[in-house]
Amino acid sequence: MNDRISPEPPATLAELMRRGNVFAEQCPSREVLKHVTSRWGVLLLVALRDGTQRFSDLRRKVGGISEKMLAQTLQWLEADGFVARIAHPVVPPHVEYSLTPLGEELAQKVEALADWIEFKLPEIMAARVRRESGG
Amino acid sequence: MNDRISPEPPATLAELMRRGNVFAEQCPSREVLKHVTSRWGVLLLVALRDGTQRFSDLRRKVGGISEKMLAQTLQWLEADGFVARIAHPVVPPHVEYSLTPLGEELAQKVEALADWIEFKLPEIMAARVRRESGG
DNA sequence: TTGGGTACTTACCTTTTCGTGCGTACTTAC
DNA sequence: GTAAGTACGCACGAAAAGGTAAGTACCCAA
């Protein structure tokens, strides 16, 4: 019925990108995905499900994170509208971080993923051992 | 009742790591999480939900991936027991990749996350604009 | 008065990631 | 004969990520 080869991709790329399509290289959803699935992004989102916390609290909770990466990752998540930052203008700085409603939705999905991995870890490691021992 | 400072961490770190605890820096779940949430890992897991596919099929489906990264990421996912690789020893190489049952479970969680981001993208971008325009 | 805690920023340097291009061994199509 | 496709491996270099250390401005405890 139709031409097999059309001069333009179907439904316009721009439209796909506006809707969100992770398979399209230029889609901004790739950027968001990058922040969310970044090394520390996942951990922070899960950590923040425990409620409002301060910078140093998060630093202590998330093992191995540096101050630099904590600050940077929080800024990404804030820019994407997932975390809210409230700075109290007091003398030793006091800043509180929490999830926005949007962030809470997201964090649930992320935690589901992280929990699944933790739960299945023995099974995963077992599969790895089978492979290494040449089974 | 107890000492505030105990010479050993509670319940032993090793035990926490065997069970899986992403917040512990040395836990192997961090490694698995890294593979799964890597730039291309997410995309490949979602792409493989469409069923068994060949190397080149995946390359074409996932926009922007290089052959090197495709091969490497597939190897990670295979080592973790999420994808199965079947090589037919024929003359132009023919290799098929598919999700294992474990991988299918995982891919569902990952797809839920990716879908949510795609679906909420307009909302996310809107939040970003508000911020940039000094709201 | 020295040291530690708060919430960062900046500069510097190392590590990791990733893309590009080339090679392979062979077949099919042109 | 030449080009293209298949499924990679390898080597090189650029780019990005990320750790470390120091600085800030001020307070509190020892």
Side-chain angles (χ1 to χ4, degrees):
Chain A
M1 289 295 202
N2 301 342
D3 296 345
R4 297 262 312 289
I5 300 171
S6 53
E8 291 196 349
T12 73
L13 262 181
E15 183 59 29
L16 279 178
M17 282 165 47
R18 239 170 279 125
R19 287 191 204 174
N21 172 15
V22 274
F23 288 127
E25 198 179 350
Q26 305 297 337
C27 183
S29 64
R30 282 269 181 106
E31 189 78 0
V32 177
L33 197 61
K34 190 174 163 183
H35 298 159
V36 171
T37 65
S38 70
R39 180 167 178 195
W40 304 115
V42 178
L43 284 315
L44 281 177
L45 285 168
V46 175
L48 280 167
R49 290 210 69 207
D50 285 350
T52 298
Q53 279 154 97
R54 298 180 62 174
F55 188 88
S56 302
D57 295 334
L58 291 168
R59 176 156 167 53
R60 279 182 287 265
K61 179 173 293 186
V62 179
I65 195 171
S66 66
E67 294 194 351
K68 177 186 167 185
M69 290 315 296
L70 178 54
Q72 183 174 112
T73 308
L74 284 171
Q75 282 163 15
W76 286 340
L77 297 176
E78 191 193 355
D80 289 340
F82 302 136
V83 304
R85 175 182 183 275
I86 298 177
H88 302 277
V90 292
V91 132
H94 185 116
V95 183
E96 295 183 336
Y97 292 93
S98 58
L99 292 172
T100 63
L102 197 64
E104 175 61 29
E105 271 187 60
L106 174 64
Q108 277 176 27
K109 311 270 177 190
V110 172
E111 193 175 9
L113 180 61
D115 281 352
W116 184 90
I117 291 178
E118 289 185 347
F119 182 65
K120 293 283 186 173
L121 189 61
E123 201 168 327
I124 295 166
M125 297 306 282
R128 221 186 265 195
V129 170
R130 270 202 302 281
R131 212 164 298 280
E132 280 167 2
S133 61
Chain B
M1 292 293 199
N2 301 342
D3 294 346
R4 297 261 314 288
I5 300 172
S6 53
E8 291 198 348
T12 73
L13 261 182
E15 183 59 29
L16 279 178
M17 283 165 46
R18 241 170 278 124
R19 288 190 203 173
N21 173 14
V22 275
F23 289 127
E25 199 179 350
Q26 305 298 338
C27 182
S29 64
R30 282 267 182 107
E31 188 78 1
V32 177
L33 197 61
K34 189 173 164 184
H35 298 158
V36 171
T37 64
S38 70
R39 179 169 180 195
W40 304 113
V42 178
L43 283 317
L44 281 178
L45 285 168
V46 175
L48 279 167
R49 289 208 71 207
D50 286 350
T52 298
Q53 280 154 95
R54 299 180 60 174
F55 188 88
S56 304
D57 295 334
L58 291 168
R59 176 155 168 53
R60 278 183 289 265
K61 179 173 292 186
V62 179
I65 196 172
S66 67
E67 294 194 350
K68 179 185 165 185
M69 291 315 297
L70 178 54
Q72 184 173 111
T73 308
L74 283 171
Q75 282 163 16
W76 285 340
L77 297 176
E78 192 194 354
D80 289 340
F82 302 137
V83 304
R85 177 181 182 275
I86 299 177
H88 301 278
V90 291
V91 134
H94 186 116
V95 182
E96 295 183 337
Y97 290 93
S98 58
L99 291 173
T100 62
L102 196 66
E104 175 61 28
E105 271 187 62
L106 174 65
Q108 278 176 26
K109 313 269 178 191
V110 172
E111 193 174 9
L113 179 62
D115 282 351
W116 184 91
I117 291 180
E118 289 186 347
F119 182 65
K120 294 284 186 175
L121 189 61
E123 201 169 326
I124 294 166
M125 297 308 280
R128 221 187 265 196
V129 170
R130 270 202 301 281
R131 211 164 299 280
E132 280 167 4
S133 62

